């Protein structure tokens, strides 16, 4: 941790998160459920890829689909498991030290998720390079940039420390959750098709990569500016009956 997180404040929150995951069966079960669901969707889709994709692009398509599916379930699983408290009485120390450590804590969360994402990308890279050749490097570069943008979008409104905020159950009706899952699974092939098309078109690769980098930098800068002013949330409250516009003067 001294090398990955040199700041003591970052080490503190990372150790809290890792020990929570190591000691909580509930949180590990939720992450396992998301990972298992991702592999199930991945294997189910790969069975029919040969019907729609020619043999020349089949291996590249399988790696692209693997990365997209695992990224989607990883982000959804992390946001879900981060929102479940481990022990509400444990957040008092974070409340006391928040004023001088808020930025370091949130940056540590970003770095931890980044390390996990890099691991997901680099572990299969030698195998991928052996099968598809130099196109694997282009795929990693394009997908890595898209993954960074996706993370910024998913955690853009995140105002909590993992495992420290209370959670209101039953906020979303079941039919809405089922509808979201259905739309989510239906739209998964779309980014795969876009990434695959860019890998076989140098012009398309540059056209997509450039705006993704610009969007990612803008989202990251705006999120850093926003969270430097916002206070962390430790008690989740129901949405008000009348929504405010929240306009800044």
């Amino acid at each position: 941790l001294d090398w990955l997180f040199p700041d003591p404040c970052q080490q503190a929150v990372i150790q809290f998160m890792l020990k929570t995951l190591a000691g909580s069966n509930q949180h590990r079960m939720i992450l396992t459920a998301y990972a298992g669901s991702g592999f199930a969707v991945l294997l189910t889709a790969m069975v029919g890829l040969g019907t729609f994709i020619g043999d020349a692009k089949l291996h590249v398509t399988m790696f692209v689909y693997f990365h997209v599916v695992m990224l989607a379930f990883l982000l959804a699983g992390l946001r879900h498991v981060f929102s479940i408290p481990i022990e509400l009485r444990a957040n008092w120390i974070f409340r006391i030290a928040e004023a001088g450590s808020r930025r370091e804590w949130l940056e540590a969360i970003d770095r931890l998720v980044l390390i996990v994402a890099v691991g997901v990308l680099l572990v299969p890279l030698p195998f991928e390079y052996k099968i598809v050749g130099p196109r694997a490097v282009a795929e990693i570069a394009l997908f890595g940039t898209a993954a960074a943008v996706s993370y910024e979008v998913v955690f853009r409104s995140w105002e909590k420390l993992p495992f420290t905020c209370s959670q209101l159950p039953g906020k979303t009706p079941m039919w809405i959750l089922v509808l979201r899952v259905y739309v989510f699974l239906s739209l998964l092939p779309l980014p795969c098709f876009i990434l695959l098309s860019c890998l076989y078109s140098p012009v398309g690769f540059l056209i997509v990569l450039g705006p993704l980098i610009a969007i990612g930098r803008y989202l990251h800068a705006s999120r850093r500016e926003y969270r430097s002013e916002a206070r962390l949330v430790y008690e989740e409250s129901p949405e008000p009956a009348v929504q405010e516009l929240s306009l800044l003067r």
Side-chain angles (χ1 to χ4, degrees), residues 13 18 29-30 74 91 229 240:
V13 71
L18 296 180
M29 181 183 66
I30 293 174
L74 174 65
N91 65 20
E229 301 176 356

Side-chain angles (χ1 to χ4, degrees), residues 96-192:
I96 293 176
E98 176 187 343
S101 306
R102 184 189 309 126
R103 179 186 293 271
E104 287 77 11
W105 291 344
L106 295 178
E107 289 181 355
I109 298 172
D110 292 347
R111 188 172 299 183
L112 179 62
V113 176
L114 176 63
I115 292 173
V116 175
V118 170
V120 173
L121 287 176
L122 295 184
V123 167
L125 180 58
F127 182 67
E128 181 179 359
Y129 188 88
K130 183 177 180 179
I131 294 179
V132 302
R135 188 170 277 114
V137 179
E139 193 266 338
I140 291 296
L142 184 61
F143 174 78
T145 306
V149 174
S150 301
Y151 174 79
E152 294 294 337
V153 172
V154 171
F155 284 87
R156 183 170 180 79
S157 59
W158 184 258
E159 300 175 347
K160 308 174 184 178
L161 274 181
F163 319 126
T164 61
C165 180
S166 62
Q167 184 186 36
L168 294 177
K171 294 185 298 181
T172 307
M174 181 59 65
W175 69 271
I176 294 183
L177 294 177
V178 174
L179 181 61
R180 287 178 178 176
V181 173
Y182 175 77
V183 174
F184 170 72
L185 295 178
S186 301
L187 294 179
L188 270 182
L190 180 60
C192 297

